[in-house]
Amino acid sequence: MVTLIDYGIGNLRSLEKAFQAVGAEVQRTDQPDALQRARRLVLPGVGAFGACMAELHRRRLIAPIREAVRRGIPLLGVCAGLQLLFEESEEHGRHEGLGLLPGRVVRFPEATSDGQRLKVPHMGWNTITPHRPSPLLNGIPAGTYFYFVHSYYAVAADPNDVLATSCYGGVSFPAIVGRGRVFGVQFHPEKSQQRGLRILKNFLDLSA
């Protein structure tokens, strides 16, 4: 069973169908009690960091997420969901995150190091470079393409939390993060064809 955290922001239907395609039973909920009973949690996200956190607060989901992590329940953040795992974001002012991973979220620069204007958001297919072994990366070789759409990226305070990176405009950023049973992917696995489904299947195969 995979529990998708439905807080009104994110393309839940696509993620739900992708998890079902790899054999998961999927529950969508915004109820704090349901999160406490979950065996695996998925935190999606689209749009502004502050708006995502405001909705999580409004629906009283912050404490249940943190408690689930404390109890060792696997958690996967997707796109902005990865960014929410960190301590803060500079998007439209300073906003506090879930604080499950140390670090902050910043915007891509307006120009590359050689002065060329950088198109933001970073949108489209890009490769990843694994940095250390992880069950989430089983069957995912270096150079695998995934689909990205984002204007901000995480700067991890602990490099050991970075499982894989990607590069855009000369900026190397975390494409996959993980600490213990907390994971995040900056790309959209549900839009990344078979390799994206493999990431979801790897998450599904983690022992609950």
Side-chain angles (χ1 to χ4, degrees):
M1 169 70 77
V2 171
T3 299
L4 288 179
I5 302 171
D6 184 355
Y7 58 107
I9 300 177
N11 189 2
L12 270 71
R13 181 57 183 155
S14 294
L15 263 177
E16 180 178 20
K17 291 174 65 177
F19 269 112
Q20 289 171 341
V22 295
E25 182 180 352
V26 182
Q27 173 191 33
R28 293 167 54 173
T29 185
D30 66 351
Q31 298 301 306
D33 290 348
L35 267 60
Q36 293 174 0
R37 298 189 298 270
R39 298 182 62 191
R40 290 175 184 81
L41 286 173
V42 176
L43 179 63
V46 172
F49 186 104
C52 291
M53 285 301 298
E55 281 301 312
L56 290 174
H57 275 293
R58 189 176 73 82
R59 298 171 193 242
R60 307 189 314 278
L61 297 173
I62 302 286
I65 292 171
R66 289 172 173 162
E67 173 60 19
V69 169
R70 189 193 68 78
R71 291 187 288 111
I73 302 302
L75 169 66
L76 176 67
V78 176
C79 194
L82 171 146
Q83 297 175 12
L84 296 173
L85 301 176
F86 287 86
E87 294 168 303
E88 64 177 21
S89 172
E90 68 174 26
E91 186 174 5
H92 306 308
R94 182 188 177 278
H95 300 278
E96 181 182 348
L98 292 171
L100 300 175
L101 298 175
R104 61 196 303 264
V105 175
V106 302
R107 194 178 193 276
F108 280 109
E110 296 295 326
T112 63
S113 58
D114 60 1
Q116 298 296 312
R117 183 169 178 81
L118 185 63
K119 185 177 180 180
V120 179
H122 168 218
M123 181 182 298
W125 293 91
N126 206 344
T127 58
I128 68 164
T129 300
H131 283 237
R132 62 184 182 87
S134 168
L136 203 66
L137 284 163
N138 287 344
I140 305 295
T144 297
Y145 280 87
F146 292 96
Y147 189 81
F148 293 82
V149 183
H150 61 123
S151 300
Y152 290 77
Y153 64 95
V155 178
D158 186 343
N160 289 322
D161 292 336
V162 180
L163 302 181
T165 56
S166 190
C167 188
Y168 181 61
V171 177
S172 178
F173 64 89
I176 306 176
V177 296
R179 174 183 288 201
R181 295 164 75 76
V182 174
F183 299 94
V185 293
Q186 182 60 73
F187 51 82
H188 286 272
E190 76 280 11
K191 297 180 180 180
S192 298
Q193 302 178 358
Q194 291 303 311
R195 295 299 193 185
L197 293 180
R198 179 60 188 262
I199 291 282
L200 299 184
K201 182 63 164 59
N202 289 343
F203 178 70
L204 192 64
D205 288 344
L206 295 173
S207 59

